[in-house]
Amino acid sequence: MAVLHAWRATRVTPLGELYAPPRMTAALVRLTVQVVLVASLWNGLYQQTGTTAGINREQAVTYAVMAVLASRLRELDQYAGRDTVLQHMHFGTIVYWYLRPLPPQRYYALRALGEQLYGFAWALTGYVVCLAVGVVQPPESAAVAGVFALSLLLGQLVLYYVMLIIDQLCFWTLRNGAAMLILVFAQNLLSGVYAPLWFFPDWFITLSSFLPFQATLSVPLSLYVGRVPLSDAPFQLAVQAGWILLLALFTRFLWSRAARRVISQGG
C-alpha cells in the first residue's frame, strides 16, 4: 500500500503533462527553438576568436546547449494543474496534505522526484539528438562522464532543496510569487544558465561561491566541458554534498514549524 501511495504521488505532475498533448508540443517547440538559438549565438560569438575565458567554441556551445537541456529537469507547469504550494495555501487545500496517508514532506519529495524523472527523459532525449547531430561534444573520457553524472545528481538535490525553501515560505507569507520570480532569475544567473560564470567579474564569481546556486548547474557542466579539471572534482563534489546536508537540515526544521501555521483560506 505504501508503494502504491508513493507511485501515485510521483506521477501527479507528469500525468498533467501527458494528458495535455498541446502543452507537450509547445514544450518541444520551445526547447528546440532555445537550443537552435543558443547554439547559433555562441557559434557567432566565437567566430572571430579561438579561445576565450579558457574554453574554445566547441566547449562554449556544449555548455550553453546542455544548460538549456538541464533546465528541463524542473520545468513542469504545476500552476496549470493547481498543484503549487502557493495555490494550496491560497485555497485552503494545503490542509489535505496533512490528512493523507503520506506525510507532507514525503509527498512533496515524491512529487518532485516524478517531475525530475519526467524532465530527465526530456533532457536525455535532447542530449542524444544534439550529440548525434554534433551540436554538443561527448565527454573526454568515461571518468569525466561518471563525475559529471554524479555532480549533476548532487546539483539536482541542491536545486530541490532551494525550491523547497521558497515553497515553504508560503507558510509564513501565504503568497510567494515575487520571491519565486526573484529566485528563478537568481538561480539562472548565478548557476550559469544565462552565461558561464567564468565570463563574469571576479567579485561576482566570489559572491556566487558563497551561495548554493552554482552547485546546481555550473559545477556539473564545468566538469563536463573540462573547464574544471578532474583533479578538482573531489572538492567540488564535497561542496555540493555540504550544501545538500545544510539545506536538508534547514528544510527539515522549516517543515516542523510549518505544520503549526496551517490555516484554511479562500475555498
Side-chain angles (χ1 to χ4, degrees):
M1 184 62 67
V3 175
L4 179 60
H5 290 322
W7 165 245
R8 288 176 175 174
T10 302
R11 64 179 187 162
V12 167
T13 312
L15 280 180
E17 295 287 308
L18 296 175
Y19 288 153
R23 286 217 299 265
M24 295 184 63
T25 302
L28 176 60
V29 172
R30 183 173 65 251
L31 183 62
T32 302
V33 171
Q34 285 179 314
V35 168
V36 171
L37 292 179
V38 164
S40 300
L41 171 64
W42 286 96
N43 274 304
L45 290 174
Y46 272 80
Q47 190 173 10
Q48 303 299 329
T49 183
T51 301
T52 301
I55 60 173
N56 56 33
R57 179 177 62 84
E58 290 77 13
Q59 289 174 301
V61 173
T62 296
Y63 180 102
V65 171
M66 291 189 64
V68 171
L69 296 175
S71 67
R72 282 296 311 170
L73 292 174
R74 288 298 299 273
E75 200 177 284
L76 289 185
D77 188 5
Q78 295 180 355
Y79 197 87
R82 294 183 63 175
D83 198 31
T84 65
V85 176
L86 185 153
Q87 289 170 306
H88 286 305
M89 291 295 295
H90 177 70
F91 293 106
T93 52
I94 193 68
V95 69
Y96 294 111
W97 281 26
Y98 291 85
L99 300 177
R100 291 171 175 167
L102 290 174
Q105 55 268 39
R106 187 177 302 173
Y107 170 74
Y108 186 97
L110 289 170
R111 193 191 62 181
L113 174 62
E115 295 172 8
Q116 289 185 306
L117 290 176
Y118 177 79
F120 177 75
W122 275 93
L124 181 61
T125 302
Y127 172 76
V128 171
V129 172
C130 290
L131 193 64
V133 299
V135 177
V136 301
Q137 300 297 311
E140 291 186 356
S141 64
V144 171
V147 170
F148 163 73
L150 177 58
S151 181
L152 183 63
L153 174 61
L154 295 177
Q156 289 303 303
L157 287 173
V158 175
L159 179 59
Y160 161 76
Y161 284 116
V162 170
M163 300 297 291
L164 173 57
I165 290 174
I166 295 300
D167 279 337
Q168 287 176 321
L169 288 179
C170 286
F171 287 94
W172 284 268
T173 63
L174 294 185
R175 290 188 174 274
N176 70 343
M180 183 61 71
L181 291 175
I182 295 173
L183 170 70
V184 171
F185 176 77
Q187 164 63 26
N188 290 336
L189 180 65
L190 297 174
S191 66
V193 172
Y194 296 138
L197 291 180
W198 52 79
F199 284 103
F200 289 90
D202 291 338
W203 67 264
F204 187 91
I205 298 176
T206 302
L207 174 65
S208 66
S209 66
F210 291 97
L211 300 172
F213 300 109
Q214 69 171 345
T216 63
L217 186 63
S218 179
V219 171
L221 294 187
S222 297
L223 288 167
Y224 183 94
V225 301
R227 186 60 170 75
V228 175
L230 278 179
S231 58
D232 291 342
F235 172 76
Q236 297 295 341
L237 295 176
V239 171
Q240 288 180 295
W243 276 116
I244 292 172
L245 178 60
L246 180 63
L247 294 173
L249 293 174
F250 184 58
T251 54
R252 184 175 181 179
F253 168 76
L254 291 181
W255 273 125
S256 66
R257 304 290 297 181
R260 306 177 186 180
R261 301 188 61 86
V262 174
I263 63 174
S264 179
Q265 177 173 319

